[in-house]
Amino acid sequence: MAKLDEASFLSRIGKGTRASGKMHFQGPVKIEGEAEGEITGDEVMIAAGATVSARITAGRVTVAGNFSGEITARERVELLPSARAQCTISTPSLVLNEGATFDGDCKMPRGKVGA
C-alpha cells in the first residue's frame, strides 16, 4: 500500500471521538477514535489506538488498531504490526505484517472483489 501522509486523508474520526451508524467516505479516511456500524469508502485506515467494530466495504483497508467485524476490500487489506483483528476478511490481496494478530476467516477470490 502506498503510504499516505497526514494531509492525504480527506476525512478523519479523531482520537476521543465516537461515531456510530452508516458512514460513507469519499477519498481516504483515517479512524483514530472509536467507530461502529457500517463503513464504506475508497480507502479506510484504522490507526493504532483506534477501536472499530463494523462492516467495512472499501477498495483498500489498513488496520493498525483494534478491529472486529467484517472487511470486504476490492483490492487489498493490510494488517500492520500493531493490529488486533477479530474478523472475516474477503479480499484478493492480504498482507499480514509480523506482530499483527488475526483471529477469523479469510476468503481470497481471484481478481477484485465486487462490492
Side-chain angles (χ1 to χ4, degrees):
M1 168 177 259
K3 297 293 181 189
L4 295 173
D5 63 18
E6 290 300 309
S8 298
F9 294 102
L10 301 178
S11 300
R12 182 182 311 265
I13 297 174
K15 290 180 183 176
T17 302
R18 182 178 296 168
S20 64
K22 288 186 176 186
M23 296 166 264
H24 178 75
F25 299 96
Q26 298 221 343
V29 60
K30 187 173 190 177
I31 301 171
E32 299 170 313
E34 297 179 33
E36 64 178 304
E38 293 183 31
I39 300 170
T40 58
D42 296 325
E43 186 160 348
V44 177
M45 166 67 172
I46 299 171
T51 301
V52 177
S53 177
R55 175 180 293 161
I56 297 177
T57 304
R60 293 170 303 282
V61 179
T62 303
V63 179
N66 298 308
F67 176 77
S68 63
E70 181 180 325
I71 297 174
T72 302
R74 293 180 298 278
E75 296 175 25
R76 175 183 170 122
V77 173
E78 181 171 4
L79 301 182
L80 298 177
S82 57
R84 302 294 173 256
Q86 187 171 8
C87 60
T88 299
I89 296 173
S90 180
T91 183
S93 176
L94 174 65
V95 178
L96 272 170
N97 286 279
E98 186 174 351
T101 62
F102 170 60
D103 179 15
D105 297 315
C106 181
K107 295 177 184 163
M108 296 182 71
R110 291 183 180 178
K112 292 186 179 181
V113 176

